[in-house]
Amino acid sequence: MNSDSDLQIAGDLFEVEHLLLPPRRHPGTVAEFAGLARSIAADSSAWGHLVRYDATTRWYHRLRTGPGYEVWLLSWLPGQGSGPHGHGRSAGVLTVLAGELTERTHRGEGALAHGTQRVYPPGYAHDVVNASLEPAVSLHVYYPGLTEMPMGTVPVAGHVATVPAAVVPAGAKAGTSAVASATVPRAGRPGPGPAVLPG
């Protein structure tokens, strides 16, 4: 039996640069998107000065985009919510940066405290609301970028989800439908983009 370990035979693989994969410039896996959200969350100097609160609606700001994904920053005053909705073909990562949000799904209702991260697949439906007495801030990563947000009713636990295919453009009220040619602010200025509010 050979007593030499694989490491003794091959040497330290981390010192053989040609065997290492180059680091990705942009995320491509669920774990990498969750990691991206955590790294942005940890650097409040990159987003803290951008946060605004709007008494009439949730405030949102697109922080960045990459190949096939986008990152949004949202603020929620007490009582503000997304309304029941899905995310179309987009998967997502929601990270609570400040305060607390409440998420309602077909499985029930749960609190999302500061630091909580929720990863969800395409077709995931939920309703998010700030049911607390303090403002909240959240970060949302969508892959592919959010192009539709079907509005509908998130059922109570034990019932089947029914989400109609209506698309709600920026400025429209939850539960209404309109054409998907609306614009949404991009990095603080109007311009063409997905016809939905992130949430």
Side-chain angles (χ1 to χ4, degrees), residues 60 62 65 70 72 146-147 170 180-196:
Y60 54 95
R62 190 161 67 176
T65 61
E70 57 189 7
W72 290 87
L146 193 62
T147 58
S181 61
T183 61
V184 65
R186 292 181 173 271
R189 61 184 182 279
V196 296

Side-chain angles (χ1 to χ4, degrees), residues 12 14 20 23 29 61 64 68 87 91 93 106 122 136 156 175 185 192-193 195:
D12 187 350
F14 293 109
L20 297 177
T29 67
H61 174 81
R64 74 169 71 162
H87 302 92
V93 178
H106 70 282
V156 296

Side-chain angles (χ1 to χ4, degrees), residues 74-169:
L74 280 75
S75 72
W76 314 69
L77 287 173
Q80 290 180 339
S82 64
H85 66 281
H87 302 92
R89 63 189 188 98
S90 300
V93 178
L94 181 160
T95 305
V96 180
L97 303 178
E100 181 178 289
L101 296 170
T102 299
E103 180 185 40
R104 298 178 185 117
T105 70
H106 70 282
R107 292 184 179 143
E109 182 175 301
L112 303 176
H114 173 253
T116 300
Q117 189 168 70
R118 171 83 69 233
V119 177
Y120 48 86
Y124 184 78
H126 65 172
D127 181 8
V128 179
V129 64
N130 181 354
S132 76
L133 299 176
E134 299 295 327
V137 179
S138 59
L139 183 78
H140 303 251
V141 179
Y142 298 106
Y143 179 81
L146 193 62
T147 58
E148 62 179 311
M149 194 168 132
M151 300 302 289
T153 302
V154 175
V156 296
H159 290 82
V160 178
T162 316
V163 181
V167 174
V168 178

